[in-house]
Amino acid sequence: MRRIKKLLTPLTAATTRARAAPDATPSASGFLTIGTTTYIDPRGSYPLDHRLNGSATLIINDTNHHITIVTERNHNDPPTPPLDQILAPGERTETHRGDSVQVG
C-alpha cells in the first residue's frame, strides 16, 4: 500500500499546482448588460446575440474595465484595420453587428 501512495504523490502535487495558477483575465467590478442579460463582475468573453427582428442590441458598461465589442471578420477579404469598438467604463452603445463582448 505504501508503494501506491508513493507512486501517486507526484501526480497529486501536479494537479494541486495546476489549480493554483492565477487566471489571466481579471474580473471587472460592476455590471455588464448585453441586451436583456446583466452579468455581475464579468470576466472573459460573452456572446453577442443578434435579434431576429433586426433591432440593435444595447450594451451598457457599468464596470471599472474597458470592454471590447469584437466584430465579425471575413477571413477571405484583404486585411483591414480592426473594426472592434471599445467602451470605457460608464459608456453605452447599441450595435447591429459583433460576435462577442470581451472584458478587459
Side-chain angles (χ1 to χ4, degrees), residues 14-32:
T15 57
T16 303
R17 276 182 290 203
R19 273 189 253 130
D23 189 3
T25 308
S27 62
S29 295
F31 303 96
L32 170 64

Side-chain angles (χ1 to χ4, degrees), residues 15-96:
T15 57
T16 303
R17 276 182 290 203
R19 273 189 253 130
D23 189 3
T25 308
S27 62
S29 295
F31 303 96
L32 170 64
T33 303
I34 303 172
T36 58
T37 305
T38 299
Y39 302 96
I40 302 171
D41 297 337
R43 168 190 310 223
S45 184
Y46 297 87
L48 184 59
D49 295 331
H50 299 285
R51 298 177 181 242
L52 296 175
N53 64 4
S55 63
T57 301
L58 177 65
I59 300 173
I60 304 171
N61 181 12
D62 284 332
T63 70
N64 63 345
H65 283 52
H66 284 75
I67 63 168
T68 303
I69 301 169
V70 181
T71 58
E72 303 95 344
R73 289 184 169 72
N74 186 345
H75 298 289
N76 296 330
D77 290 342
T80 57
L83 300 173
D84 296 343
Q85 183 176 2
I86 298 175
L87 291 181
E91 288 187 335
R92 61 176 57 207
T93 190
E94 289 186 344
T95 184
H96 289 279

